[in-house]
Amino acid sequence: MAKYDYDFVVIGGGPAGRRAAIQASKLGKSVAVVDDQKLIGGVSVHTGTLPSKTIRESVLSVTGWRDQHFKSRQPRNGVHMMQDSINSRLSTTLGDEVEVIDNQLARNNVAILKGKAKFTDTHKLAIQQNSQGQRTNFSVTADKFLIAVGTKPFRPKSIPFNGTTVIDSDSVAANLPMPKSITVVGGGVIGLEYATIFSTLDIPVTVVEAREQILEFIDRDVVANFVHQLTERGISLRLGRKIEKITLDDQDRPNIILDDGRQLRSEMLLFTAGRVGAVDSLGLEKVGIKCDSRGRLVVDKETLQTSQPNIYAAGDIIGFPALASTSMEQGRQAACHAFGVPLTNGGNSFPLGIYSIPEIASIGLSEEDARTQGYQVEIGIARFQETSRGHILGNCKGMLKCIFDLNDRKLLGVHIVGEGATELIHIGQAVINLNGGIDYLSDNVFNFPTLAEAYKVAALDAYNRLPKPRLRA
């Protein structure tokens, strides 16, 4: 049997990579993580998940957004003070997270190798370190590898990025700007999260999206409620529109010309229309692994193996859903398969969360998908204004939608928009994965007053329309 430096080498220190590394270590394997960033954590910690969610929470705090129903929000005057508060919270949060990750890897005896990794063959990596201008090259061998390098913003040549008035999401995460107006190009998860953040700061926002609908993977009723809330706040949506040209005026302010001839002017443009895999320097051609036009790798969905059986891939680099939560699970599954450990998980349904303002969360089948798959369904809807907790919070615009199977009364899907949606969804996750349904939700006792009570309201809403069993004589 060949002798390698490590049993398992992970390329990338993001959620998928570190979860895989820790899992492999717990299986008694020798493990190393190769990462070329100054601090461990990957895109999730430094430019993606945590920065945007921390900025979101900071903005909600400094603007008094959650209290707007009861009192006037703070006037938008202390801009520099707000920026300082947001950036301070961001720095503290990310610093704490990096410390936690470092400690986790150290406790599990996972080696961290700093540098850029490049395959030279299917069992060997060349690693280039760059410290204080000095380059050091060395190599490392392993039995199995996991590619978990994540993605970076898509930057087409037609967009005049300048880092100040035309930026991508990495620039926002590094230092939240405070423009007088902004155009967000891309109506996906990232674009809508930042669009709603800027809107909460009372900054006029226009969203340009080439597709006719936003969030096509989310239940249509939830999206309709979400869009209504956005338009009520004055966010302008330009759907089904493509950009013909972008020019900059003498003050570098972007002028956007759409394919219907209309022009959009704003002080800043945030481009969020897609991301690409960070695979440029991995030397994939050396090991016969190919990627698509956006740098994503194709894997076997069951095993997470690439075309090279000893090389796995997980996380954003393999595409949808590209969430930190699912990436961690993919990393765990890859490590288990690599070393012959039977895969176990808490269920087949995984939640999806969008940290816009308001939040959106989803699990299981949408109404459209359930009907397409041949289910006979009944729908239960609860509006947060129907709960006492909703009145206490002053948040009466959210909704929770449950999809039930008419035949066996099981819960097929839950879709939420509103305050706390990404927390509330886990009740639906548990019920779906444990094969529960309308009877459990309608009979269960929820704490009062809570938003979780919306599950009971939705179940009773559906129950009232179900065929009633005949009583025995």
Side-chain angles (χ1 to χ4, degrees):
M1 182 175 178
K3 176 67 176 175
Y4 301 110
D5 297 323
Y6 295 96
D7 296 316
F8 195 47
V9 168
V10 175
I11 308 171
R18 63 178 181 267
R19 181 67 184 273
I22 291 171
Q23 178 65 72
S25 177
K26 289 184 182 299
L27 296 175
K29 307 302 177 182
S30 58
V31 185
V33 172
V34 182
D35 193 271
D36 63 352
Q37 300 300 307
K38 182 179 179 181
L39 298 172
I40 200 74
V43 169
S44 173
V45 171
H46 299 292
T47 59
T49 305
L50 283 187
S52 62
K53 282 55 176 178
T54 304
I55 289 170
R56 176 189 186 275
E57 198 62 32
S58 298
V59 166
L60 289 172
S61 177
V62 300
T63 61
W65 175 263
R66 290 190 174 104
D67 295 328
Q68 64 173 314
H69 184 72
F70 301 107
K71 64 182 181 181
S72 298
R73 285 166 52 205
Q74 300 171 7
R76 186 177 177 266
N77 42 26
V79 172
H80 293 298
M81 187 176 297
M82 292 171 72
Q83 279 185 303
D84 289 345
S85 175
I86 292 168
N87 289 330
S88 175
R89 185 171 188 156
L90 184 60
S91 176
T92 300
T93 301
L94 302 193
D96 290 345
E97 185 69 11
V98 168
E99 185 177 350
V100 168
I101 294 170
D102 280 336
N103 288 336
Q104 286 178 335
L105 295 177
R107 287 199 311 270
N108 286 278
N109 300 311
V110 175
I112 300 177
L113 308 177
K114 290 293 183 181
K116 290 185 178 296
K118 185 174 184 177
F119 283 102
T120 56
D121 64 44
T122 55
H123 288 282
K124 188 175 183 180
L125 287 179
I127 300 175
Q128 183 183 87
Q129 293 180 324
N130 193 344
S131 178
Q132 298 178 342
Q134 299 295 317
R135 290 186 177 181
T136 304
N137 298 310
F138 64 98
S139 61
V140 62
T141 59
D143 183 19
K144 307 287 176 63
F145 292 92
L146 173 71
I147 301 172
V149 293
T151 58
K152 58 187 178 181
F154 175 50
R155 293 173 63 102
K157 294 179 180 179
S158 59
I159 307 298
F161 293 101
N162 57 17
T164 53
T165 60
V166 182
I167 60 175
D168 60 27
S169 57
D170 280 5
S171 299
V172 176
N175 184 22
L176 184 70
M178 294 284 189
K180 293 180 180 178
S181 60
I182 188 166
T183 298
V184 178
V185 178
V189 172
I190 297 172
L192 291 171
E193 285 183 351
Y194 278 116
T196 56
I197 285 172
F198 284 113
S199 174
T200 304
L201 290 165
D202 290 334
I203 295 170
V205 178
T206 299
V207 177
V208 179
E209 168 57 50
R211 291 168 292 189
E212 295 289 342
Q213 294 181 328
I214 61 170
L215 304 178
E216 294 174 336
F217 51 91
I218 299 293
D219 186 274
R220 291 295 92 195
D221 284 340
V222 165
V223 173
N225 184 291
F226 179 68
V227 168
H228 179 70
Q229 292 194 51
L230 298 192
T231 53
E232 270 194 331
R233 289 160 55 179
I235 295 178
S236 178
L237 298 175
R238 297 285 183 262
L239 304 182
R241 298 272 68 91
K242 296 182 180 179
I243 294 175
E244 286 288 335
K245 187 178 181 181
I246 298 175
T247 59
L248 302 177
D249 66 14
D250 54 4
Q251 295 183 344
D252 279 346
R253 292 174 301 197
N255 178 40
I256 303 141
I257 303 174
L258 301 180
D259 57 0
D260 62 358
R262 284 185 292 179
Q263 296 188 32
L264 303 175
R265 296 180 184 274
S266 60
E267 191 172 86
M268 183 174 288
L269 182 148
L270 170 61
F271 188 87
T272 66
R275 297 180 66 85
V276 295
V279 297
D280 301 348
S281 59
L282 281 181
L284 296 181
E285 68 282 355
K286 295 284 188 180
V287 290
I289 296 176
K290 296 181 179 180
C291 57
D292 66 14
S293 60
R294 287 293 181 97
R296 291 174 296 227
L297 303 182
V298 176
V299 296
D300 181 288
K301 295 301 181 182
E302 296 295 325
T303 67
L304 297 166
Q305 289 169 294
T306 66
S307 56
Q308 288 294 341
N310 74 308
I311 301 176
Y312 294 72
D316 290 9
I317 194 66
I318 65 172
F320 186 84
L323 302 171
S325 55
T326 52
S327 294
M328 285 188 276
E329 178 60 15
Q330 289 166 358
R332 183 187 77 85
Q333 292 181 358
C336 286
H337 185 271
F339 298 106
V341 175
L343 295 176
T344 59
N345 58 54
N348 296 319
S349 290
F350 300 99
L352 183 152
I354 300 173
Y355 291 81
S356 49
I357 304 171
E359 294 177 357
I360 297 174
S362 177
I363 190 166
L365 297 178
S366 67
E367 180 180 353
E368 296 85 349
D369 289 341
R371 294 189 188 280
T372 299
Q373 293 183 26
Y375 287 97
Q376 289 183 294
V377 300
E378 188 55 76
I379 308 303
I381 291 179
R383 305 189 186 281
F384 287 174
Q385 65 188 18
E386 298 169 352
T387 69
S388 297
R389 184 66 173 176
H391 292 295
I392 292 170
L393 294 173
N395 177 10
C396 297
K397 297 178 182 178
M399 64 172 284
L400 181 149
K401 177 178 179 179
C402 291
I403 318 295
F404 298 103
D405 185 339
L406 261 177
N407 294 313
D408 63 12
R409 305 165 76 89
K410 296 290 179 62
L411 181 63
L412 299 175
V414 179
H415 312 278
I416 312 172
V417 56
E419 180 76 14
T422 57
E423 298 285 352
L424 288 170
I425 198 66
H426 296 111
I427 296 174
Q429 178 185 19
V431 174
I432 289 173
N433 286 337
L434 294 173
N435 295 313
I438 192 169
D439 299 299
Y440 171 80
L441 292 175
S442 60
D443 295 342
N444 196 29
V445 177
F446 292 86
N447 272 335
F448 176 86
T450 61
L451 291 178
E453 190 185 9
Y455 276 98
K456 189 181 186 82
V457 174
L460 290 172
D461 178 53
Y463 186 87
N464 289 336
R465 291 188 297 276
L466 288 178
K468 301 300 185 289
R470 293 181 180 179
L471 297 177
R472 293 182 180 177

